[in-house]
Amino acid sequence: MISTVALLAALLSGGSEPVTALTVVPNNGRTDILISVKGNVTFRDFTMEGPHRLILDVMNARHALPRDNFTDVNRGGILTVRTSQYSDDIVRIVVELNQPTKYTIRQYEGTIRISMENHFGDFDPWETAAAAPMLEPEVPAFETSRFTSLALRLQPTPQQSQEARISITFINTPIADVLFTFADFSGRSIVPSSQVTGMTVTAEIKNQAWDDALAAILRQQGLRGDEDGPSGIIRVDLLTNINLAEETEPLRTEIYRINYGTAAEVLAAITPLQTTRGNSSESPGTNTLIVTDIERVHAAIRSLLIELDRPTPQVMISAKIIFVNRTDLKEFGIVYDLKDSQGNQFSDLTPALADLDGDGEFEQLDETVVLLGGNSIAALGNATARVAAPTLRLLTSLVIGRHTLVGFIEALESSNLSEIQAAPSVTVADNHEARLQVGERTPIRVIDAAAGGAGGVGGGFPQATVSFEETGIILTTTPHITADGHILLDIEAERSAADFADSDIGLIFRRQITNTRLLVRDGETVVIAALTVTERSEVRAGVPLLMNLPVIGRLFRITRSSEIQRDLMILVTPHIIRSNAN
């Protein structure tokens, strides 16, 4: 439909206005095409078959789009969009559709909106250029609802009404004249009840959507406007009358199927909307809600479900847990063994030959011999503090008469490097917790010796119980996707292992745990923990007094030094799983 006033304005302007951008956006189960035009234009529309097409001619306009044909739309029932400068002052836009569909066209300041039915599900917005203006979707009235309250639009919401904007001043104006003014401006039918009389309005409206302005004025006067869905007539009445009518209004039962959540979660959200006469329950088997209440409540529930029952974004969280263990060990020592071939013998280090019976034949002795008669001496140095599994062993011997001095020089140096890497990955819905464990459950046996009574009195026996401790790689995380596409992570990562204790208490558990919250970008890798633990020890054992002598003291002692270094690094990379990828 072409407005006469707009046509005259276009003719007087003397120049064509540029069509700068096209945008396709989802709008509560519908598909909206937004055509951005700078200036006053008019339009005409019609449809064609074979294939199904919607043609829109924008008059007093010129083509300013980046190109003519857009074959990559393919969403919301739209296949392609073709544009052209049809004549000197007409831009033709041809929308190729999957199937014939009902549509409406409205014109706002700088925008023409085509709103059509969408039978193909939700989709991602599309636009001809990154600079195309993105208008917030209009919230339409429910056509299945008989009455939808205008007061609902006054609830805090990030969306703004796209209705025509009005600037007007009322000074002690009767309410009937105010309603007539809004009806004339909007082209809608507004019918007040017989009790809406005797009220005056003083208000100044500056560039506000007419429906928002009307709702604010009605609320200030203790009124409410209800829109009849099929006819679009707005009925205005006192709030007290509406509340009284609701007390006698028939109750109606509806079943709401929940698609992307659980009925129990949604039930808690809709309960505050219900009247005292209404009730609701869930059916877990079919994941549905059964609600009995008046029509206004059902309309509010349907509006709420549009926001709540949506596909929840998912996040794939990849973690890498790296554990590096470095061990350096050094041991050095000298062991002495002094033997007497005819007297005392210590055979702890080496066997010896001795002529104990005086027949001139030497026999090998594998045991210690202690003779208390005669002159004899035997000695051992560092016999119990030797280097275990030495990698270097030197033997020296010195024979003086019937005595033999045997010396062992032993040394060990080793370096051990072990690296353990775990790369757990888990996918979880937004705002839900995920837990992943790779490891084992270690049993711990506890014996209660007192369970059978002191000393076993009464014939009782000690009782043993077994508990289990979870060990291994454990990752627990809860992601939250922010409005700007970042990911807020509550994450706990653990690496644990059981080990035998040095004493008789049984097992000890070595654990490395981090618990943190961080904000990261999609696909960004962050280090959430890095821990280095170093243990150094040195042990000396040797011949008393001699081992502490300066310079030569090393010849009479064994030195063990070790250094153990453990490094732990935990890296996390979250990815948002996007549907309907372009």
Side-chain angles (χ1 to χ4, degrees):
M1 178 181 296
I2 303 175
S3 171
T4 304
V5 176
L7 180 58
L8 291 175
L11 294 175
L12 294 175
S13 64
S16 57
E17 306 294 346
V19 178
T20 57
L22 296 177
T23 305
V24 179
V25 295
N27 181 7
N28 296 328
R30 299 178 65 85
T31 299
D32 282 3
I33 305 174
L34 307 179
I35 304 166
S36 300
V37 183
K38 295 183 178 179
N40 296 320
V41 297
T42 57
F43 65 88
R44 65 188 176 196
D45 61 278
F46 56 96
T47 59
M48 298 184 66
E49 301 290 334
H52 306 295
R53 286 163 289 170
L54 167 62
I55 294 92
L56 179 73
D57 287 341
V58 184
M59 289 169 284
N60 189 39
R62 59 182 173 86
H63 192 281
L65 295 168
R67 63 177 191 271
D68 293 337
N69 297 329
F70 304 93
T71 60
D72 58 343
V73 182
N74 194 26
R75 68 197 66 201
I78 300 174
L79 296 177
T80 63
V81 177
R82 301 193 303 274
T83 62
S84 64
Q85 189 73 48
Y86 184 70
S87 64
D88 292 341
D89 61 346
I90 298 178
V91 174
R92 172 160 288 185
I93 301 172
V94 181
V95 182
E96 185 177 349
L97 306 172
N98 289 85
Q99 62 185 31
T101 182
K102 296 181 180 180
Y103 66 93
T104 59
I105 301 179
R106 292 186 181 180
Q107 183 174 1
Y108 310 101
E109 183 178 353
T111 303
I112 298 175
R113 177 193 295 271
I114 305 175
S115 181
M116 61 182 63
E117 297 177 351
N118 175 19
H119 305 285
F120 300 90
D122 198 13
F123 60 91
D124 290 341
W126 174 90
E127 56 184 340
T128 57
M134 293 291 293
L135 297 182
E136 293 294 336
E138 181 186 11
V139 181
F142 286 101
E143 304 217 352
T144 57
S145 172
R146 184 178 178 186
F147 298 110
T148 300
S149 174
L150 288 178
L152 291 177
R153 300 188 180 181
L154 296 176
Q155 299 299 324
T157 172
Q159 296 181 344
Q160 294 182 353
S161 173
Q162 298 300 318
E163 295 290 347
R165 308 183 80 80
I166 185 174
S167 296
I168 193 169
T169 300
F170 300 107
I171 300 177
N172 295 325
T173 305
I175 186 65
D177 294 343
V178 173
L179 297 179
F180 177 79
T181 302
F182 277 99
D184 183 63
F185 179 85
S186 64
R188 303 287 293 276
S189 298
I190 302 178
V191 180
S193 73
S194 59
Q195 297 184 9
V196 182
T197 58
M199 303 177 184
T200 59
V201 176
T202 299
E204 184 176 4
I205 307 299
K206 293 184 178 180
N207 193 27
Q208 297 293 327
W210 72 264
D211 55 342
D212 290 339
L214 176 59
I217 292 175
L218 294 179
R219 186 176 61 178
Q220 190 68 24
Q221 298 294 328
L223 305 173
R224 192 175 77 191
D226 287 333
E227 182 178 352
D228 188 344
S231 65
I233 298 176
I234 300 173
R235 297 189 304 112
V236 178
D237 201 350
L238 297 173
L239 282 174
T240 55
N241 293 343
I242 295 175
N243 293 335
L244 290 175
E246 288 183 351
E247 292 180 1
T248 58
E249 183 179 342
L251 300 179
R252 188 166 57 84
T253 300
E254 282 196 17
I255 298 176
Y256 299 94
R257 182 178 298 276
I258 308 303
N259 299 310
Y260 302 106
T262 63
E265 294 173 341
V266 179
L267 181 61
I270 70 171
T271 300
L273 301 177
Q274 294 193 265
T275 63
T276 56
R277 299 165 55 208
N279 63 79
S280 57
S281 61
E282 61 171 312
S283 175
T286 58
N287 199 35
T288 56
L289 291 176
I290 305 171
V291 181
T292 301
D293 218 312
I294 62 176
E295 180 58 35
R296 178 183 62 81
V297 174
H298 286 293
I301 291 175
R302 282 191 290 268
S303 178
L304 182 64
L305 290 182
I306 289 176
E307 300 298 326
L308 293 182
D309 194 22
R310 291 183 174 184
T312 303
Q314 298 186 93
V315 180
M316 183 181 70
I317 302 172
S318 302
K320 181 173 286 188
I321 303 176
I322 303 174
F323 185 77
V324 180
N325 191 346
R326 301 178 178 89
T327 303
D328 294 325
L329 180 63
K330 295 181 181 179
E331 296 187 35
F332 179 82
I334 301 178
V335 183
Y336 298 97
D337 188 357
L338 179 62
K339 295 184 177 296
D340 183 1
S341 61
Q342 296 181 359
N344 294 330
Q345 307 283 344
F346 293 109
S347 299
D348 293 345
L349 297 178
T350 58
L353 298 175
D355 183 12
L356 299 179
D357 54 6
D359 59 358
E361 295 182 3
F362 289 85
E363 301 174 354
Q364 182 173 332
L365 301 179
D366 294 329
E367 69 277 354
T368 298
V369 177
V370 178
L371 299 177
L372 299 179
N375 297 324
S376 180
I377 186 173
L380 292 176
N382 294 340
T384 59
R386 302 184 62 181
V387 175
T391 55
L392 175 65
R393 179 178 292 177
L394 298 178
L395 173 65
T396 62
S397 62
L398 177 63
V399 179
I400 303 176
R402 65 180 186 180
H403 292 85
T404 302
L405 177 63
V406 180
F408 293 93
I409 302 176
E410 299 172 332
L412 169 66
E413 182 172 351
S414 66
S415 179
N416 181 39
L417 174 64
S418 63
E419 179 176 336
I420 301 174
Q421 289 194 19
S425 178
V426 63
T427 301
V428 61
D430 187 27
N431 298 315
H432 287 73
E433 181 183 287
R435 188 174 189 272
L436 185 145
Q437 178 182 5
V438 180
E440 58 278 330
R441 299 183 66 199
T442 303
I444 305 174
R445 188 173 65 172
V446 179
I447 299 177
D448 187 359
V457 178
F461 295 95
Q463 294 183 359
T465 58
V466 177
S467 61
F468 291 87
E469 182 78 15
E470 292 184 344
T471 58
I473 304 297
I474 303 174
L475 177 66
T476 304
T477 179
T478 303
H480 311 277
I481 301 177
T482 64
D484 57 356
H486 286 66
I487 305 171
L488 182 65
L489 284 176
D490 290 310
I491 190 167
E492 178 177 333
E494 173 184 341
R495 179 194 178 273
S496 57
D499 199 357
F500 289 103
D502 295 334
S503 61
D504 60 352
I505 62 174
L507 299 175
I508 59 174
F509 293 90
R510 305 185 185 276
R511 308 177 70 185
Q512 295 87 34
I513 301 176
T514 178
N515 193 328
T516 184
R517 168 179 287 192
L518 64 159
L519 183 67
V520 296
R521 292 190 295 268
D522 182 16
E524 181 183 17
T525 299
V526 294
V527 179
I528 65 171
L531 175 65
T532 298
V533 179
T534 302
E535 299 178 6
R536 293 186 179 92
S537 64
E538 182 173 317
V539 178
R540 292 184 178 185
V543 180
L545 300 180
L546 298 180
M547 63 177 288
N548 296 320
L549 294 177
V551 182
I552 64 173
R554 299 189 58 182
L555 301 177
F556 301 97
R557 68 173 179 253
I558 290 180
T559 304
R560 296 186 179 91
S561 61
S562 64
E563 180 175 312
I564 301 175
Q565 181 174 315
R566 300 182 181 93
D567 298 323
L568 175 66
M569 290 183 292
I570 303 176
L571 299 89
V572 173
T573 306
H575 294 276
I576 300 176
I577 300 177
R578 305 182 186 275
S579 60
N580 300 324
N582 294 325

